Amino acid sequence: MAALFRGVMMWLLRLYYRAIAVNQRERIPAQGPCLVVANHPNGLMDPLVLRLALNRPVAFLGKSTLFANPAGKFAMESFNGIPVFRVKDGGDTSKNELTFDLCRALLARKGWLAMFPEGVSHNDPQLKPLKTGAARIALTAEAAADWKLGLNILPVGLLFDEKETFRSGVAASVGAPFSVVEFRQAYE
């Protein structure tokens, strides 16, 4: 059922947005593990656009309130969503240790994980202040593997022509990936 739901949602996304341009596609690593960090201009569309643009089954973090009802939970889990518990949503932040464990386990299996370090979707042309979760997950995943995981961080910028307009376009600008191992000394 989840695969059918994913297929329908991806088809609808392709129908709604006439084109998803990927700039610097050659920068996308051939294999994982990879932590994708992106801006967050269009709410729940952003993880789906990343899946299409990167051509990878990218898991992602989402606020726990999106998992609060059976329909939302099914939708989020169909796309390998992992809940994040935030104080501002009334969440029990102690549950984030399990969230971080799930992220580290995914990366240890050479998976792809997408995060939106701003922690909020918005229309502003500038980035909001970044949260520390991406760095914490990346560094602790690499450290848990004795710095042999080979985790790359891939920055991606998303830009929607007119996100509310049917048949508008989307661009994903892929930044240069970098290795988490480069930060071992600073982390230790």
Side-chain angles (χ1 to χ4, degrees):
M1 191 70 163
L4 176 63
F5 178 75
R6 271 193 314 275
V8 168
M9 293 305 294
M10 298 311 278
W11 178 81
L12 288 172
L13 183 71
R14 286 185 192 101
L15 176 66
Y16 192 85
Y17 295 110
R18 67 175 159 68
I20 298 177
V22 181
N23 302 317
Q24 306 291 332
R25 182 182 300 273
E26 69 277 2
R27 291 178 170 172
I28 300 171
Q31 57 192 12
C34 190
L35 176 59
V36 179
V37 291
N39 61 320
H40 203 9
N42 200 8
L44 292 175
M45 293 298 110
D46 296 338
L48 304 182
V49 168
L50 283 174
R51 282 179 77 102
L52 282 178
L54 299 174
N55 196 28
R56 300 282 190 285
V58 180
F60 64 94
L61 294 174
K63 62 183 177 179
S64 62
T65 56
L66 296 172
F67 296 78
N69 64 64
K73 183 175 181 177
F74 173 78
M76 297 300 284
E77 289 178 352
S78 292
F79 284 95
N80 301 317
I82 300 170
V84 174
F85 300 88
R86 307 182 313 179
V87 171
K88 70 180 183 178
D89 298 328
D92 177 1
T93 58
S94 69
K95 293 181 179 180
N96 284 331
E97 284 308 313
L98 175 58
T99 296
F100 281 30
D101 288 344
L102 291 170
C103 293
R104 287 187 287 263
L106 172 76
L107 295 169
R109 294 189 309 270
K110 307 295 183 194
W112 286 59
L113 175 66
M115 295 181 64
F116 305 97
E118 296 169 282
V120 64
S121 183
H122 63 88
N123 289 321
D124 299 340
Q126 292 85 22
L127 288 174
K128 300 283 187 197
L130 303 179
K131 309 291 186 209
T132 61
R136 290 171 50 202
I137 289 169
L139 290 165
T140 59
E142 195 63 67
D146 198 30
W147 301 95
K148 293 179 176 80
L149 183 59
L151 177 60
N152 283 307
I153 295 182
L154 182 68
V156 177
L158 299 176
L159 178 65
F160 291 79
D161 289 339
E162 297 177 38
K163 62 185 176 184
E164 297 90 8
T165 303
F166 183 67
R167 304 304 290 161
S168 65
V170 180
S173 184
V174 180
F178 57 93
S179 173
V180 174
V181 172
E182 297 173 29
F183 301 94
R184 178 180 183 171
Q185 187 176 17
Y187 175 75
E188 290 178 339

